[in-house]
Amino acid sequence: MSYSVKEFGSNEEKVVLSNSYLQIEVSTLGATLVSLRLLRTQDHRDIVCGMKDAEGYLAHDKYFGACVGRIAGRIDQGRFTLNEKEYQLPQNNNGNSLHGGIHGFDRKHFTYEVMQEGEVGSIILQYTSVDGEEGYPGTVDLTVTYRLDHNRMSIDYSAVSDQDTIINMTNHSYFNLEGHTSSTILDHSLRVDSNELLMIDEDSCPRGNRLQVESTPFDFRCEKKIRECIEQDHEQLRLGNGIDHFFIFTTDQDQITLRSPDSKVALHVSTDQVGANIYSANYLDGSDIGKENIAYPQRCAICLETQNYSNDINIHEDATCILRKGDTYSSHTTYTFEVEE
Ligand code: BGC
């Protein structure tokens, strides 16, 4: 296990942490996963999309590798009621609030420390979001921990608030197991332990209606190529411009497998969250120039955004995203990589 720190521009840094299986780079801007290299591949391939420097992240709004909050996904009309008080958030996406608003956590500076215990290393990042920031109540102390242990990376979120508030964090990494320079994930295989998903409307917002995946393109209960879903004709695929849906898990571990076309690299995702918003990079269009001057085209990667139910605050009275004063929010996801050497 070793680590180093590099300048990242705009007064930000990136921390590079490696063991003999994995190397990650995490930026103090947005606690963002800038790169993830599989050191057991011949080419030490970097399997997440990202930008060269902090300016790159600040100039784009695709949330490459970002720590997304306070609320991942959409809040209908940016409006919600908590303890009988109505809150209005910035409406930054077709009238809805997306991914924590205009200045979400992806744009905030985090402080960090690095811890090493034998073969296990962690980057622990911290940010305090003040009461009223982006329209949300309560001052929230957030800790994000990236941990490397052999062939496994985990991401943990932990937060407390001095008032009742709402929170639902995720990591927005765009994965391509052939490397971030590869132009498509259509021939990757995907498995998701999910019988149903949240249907979306024209504005991509889920409003509580569910779709049983059986006999639809969204049935990933057995591993299949992503192309076999996306190339079908289905209203939900049209509305999302591809896959952009919250899949509700039926199991409480090892819920997702993503496999490269040659089957030599696999990613297994295991989480304590109830589901994941799975997004097939539908709104990338080649205009974002990332690391190594790569232009990222549509469907060049897939996001596996483990989190709590989307827009739940407007659907359920006792919404899962409510964090009461004095309670601790937590979320834990592990990403295990298998490489055929
Ligand atoms: C959303 C997409 C959105 C993307 C932003 C995803 O999590 O569900 O609709 O376009 O993030 O990059």
Side-chain angles (χ1 to χ4, degrees):
M1 185 64 57
S2 66
Y3 86 94
S4 60
V5 178
K6 294 182 177 162
E7 288 292 313
F8 203 46
S10 299
N11 295 321
E12 302 289 349
E13 291 171 315
K14 66 177 178 182
V15 184
V16 186
L17 182 69
S18 354
N19 63 18
S20 64
Y21 296 86
L22 302 171
Q23 182 191 70
I24 58 172
E25 295 185 331
V26 176
S27 159
T28 52
L29 175 69
T32 299
L33 184 64
V34 174
S35 78
L36 196 176
R37 283 187 187 279
L38 302 181
L39 302 180
R40 298 288 169 104
T41 55
Q42 298 269 322
D43 51 356
H44 286 191
R45 78 182 61 149
D46 178 0
I47 55 152
V48 293
C49 301
M51 296 284 137
K52 305 200 244 304
D53 52 23
E55 282 85 15
Y57 285 94
L58 291 168
H60 294 269
D61 61 356
K62 302 302 190 311
Y63 302 90
F64 292 109
C67 146
V68 174
R70 293 188 190 187
I71 290 281
R74 291 171 173 81
I75 294 191
D76 194 1
Q77 300 302 304
R79 216 174 291 141
F80 71 96
T81 303
L82 181 65
N83 299 339
E84 287 158 25
K85 187 169 171 197
E86 192 166 298
Y87 293 89
Q88 179 65 60
L89 308 171
Q91 293 159 280
N92 58 334
N93 188 269
N94 292 326
N96 301 313
S97 178
L98 176 68
H99 292 336
I102 299 165
H103 304 287
F105 291 168
D106 58 296
R107 274 154 202 272
K108 302 297 182 186
H109 174 76
F110 285 66
T111 57
Y112 72 91
E113 58 179 311
V114 179
M115 280 183 46
Q116 295 184 83
E117 307 150 49
E119 274 308 288
V120 180
S122 307
I123 308 169
I124 304 153
L125 300 112
Q126 209 279 327
Y127 174 66
T128 298
S129 171
V130 296
D131 180 28
E133 187 179 280
E134 287 300 278
Y136 292 96
T139 292
V140 168
D141 283 315
L142 171 71
T143 303
V144 185
T145 305
Y146 287 84
R147 186 168 186 266
L148 290 189
D149 182 359
H150 295 82
N151 58 338
R152 181 170 301 164
M153 172 184 76
S154 60
I155 307 179
D156 281 79
Y157 302 94
S158 164
V160 289
S161 176
D162 66 351
Q163 288 177 43
D164 290 357
T165 190
I166 59 174
I167 189 160
N168 188 11
M169 302 294 305
T170 197
N171 176 270
H172 207 287
S173 287
Y174 289 71
F175 293 100
N176 185 318
L177 300 181
E178 292 192 294
H180 79 109
T181 54
S182 162
S183 58
T184 180
I185 39 79
L186 287 177
D187 292 312
H188 278 54
S189 303
L190 179 66
R191 178 190 62 85
V192 186
D193 276 343
S194 167
N195 291 339
E196 53 181 0
L197 54 75
L198 298 184
M199 290 164 76
I200 55 173
D201 290 331
E202 294 285 348
D203 58 359
S204 295
C205 190
R207 296 195 167 83
N209 295 324
R210 295 183 177 200
L211 176 77
Q212 298 298 313
V213 300
E214 187 158 6
S215 307
T216 77
F218 298 96
D219 189 350
F220 283 103
R221 291 173 297 176
C222 293
E223 218 172 290
K224 70 177 185 195
K225 300 253 185 227
I226 294 170
R227 175 189 296 289
E228 287 172 39
C229 168
I230 287 191
E231 290 181 349
Q232 288 195 48
D233 184 25
H234 192 282
E235 202 207 2
Q236 283 295 308
L237 285 168
R238 186 179 58 74
L239 291 171
N241 206 16
I243 308 169
D244 191 3
H245 294 84
F246 187 86
F247 287 74
I248 300 158
F249 295 141
T250 44
T251 48
D252 60 6
Q253 58 183 347
D254 297 322
Q255 296 96 340
I256 303 177
T257 298
L258 182 69
R259 204 178 296 277
S260 64
D262 63 4
S263 295
K264 288 193 170 162
V265 180
L267 161 59
H268 304 282
V269 178
S270 191
T271 185
D272 62 4
Q273 298 295 286
V274 296
N277 196 73
I278 300 189
Y279 171 59
S280 52
N282 312 327
Y283 298 106
L284 296 186
D285 58 8
S287 61
D288 302 288
I289 309 296
K291 299 172 289 191
E292 300 169 66
N293 290 323
I294 296 297
Y296 293 124
Q298 191 188 40
R299 312 212 199 294
C300 67
I302 188 160
C303 302
L304 308 167
E305 307 161 40
T306 53
Q307 59 191 265
N308 236 318
Y309 296 105
S310 262
N311 192 31
D312 208 29
I313 192 68
N314 290 309
I315 298 170
H316 294 115
E317 201 160 312
D318 201 12
T320 48
C321 59
I322 296 174
L323 173 64
R324 300 282 173 200
K325 174 183 175 178
D327 287 353
T328 301
Y329 163 85
S330 74
S331 156
H332 174 72
T333 300
T334 63
Y335 306 82
T336 305
F337 298 95
E338 272 173 12
V339 175
E340 198 182 294
E341 291 172 48

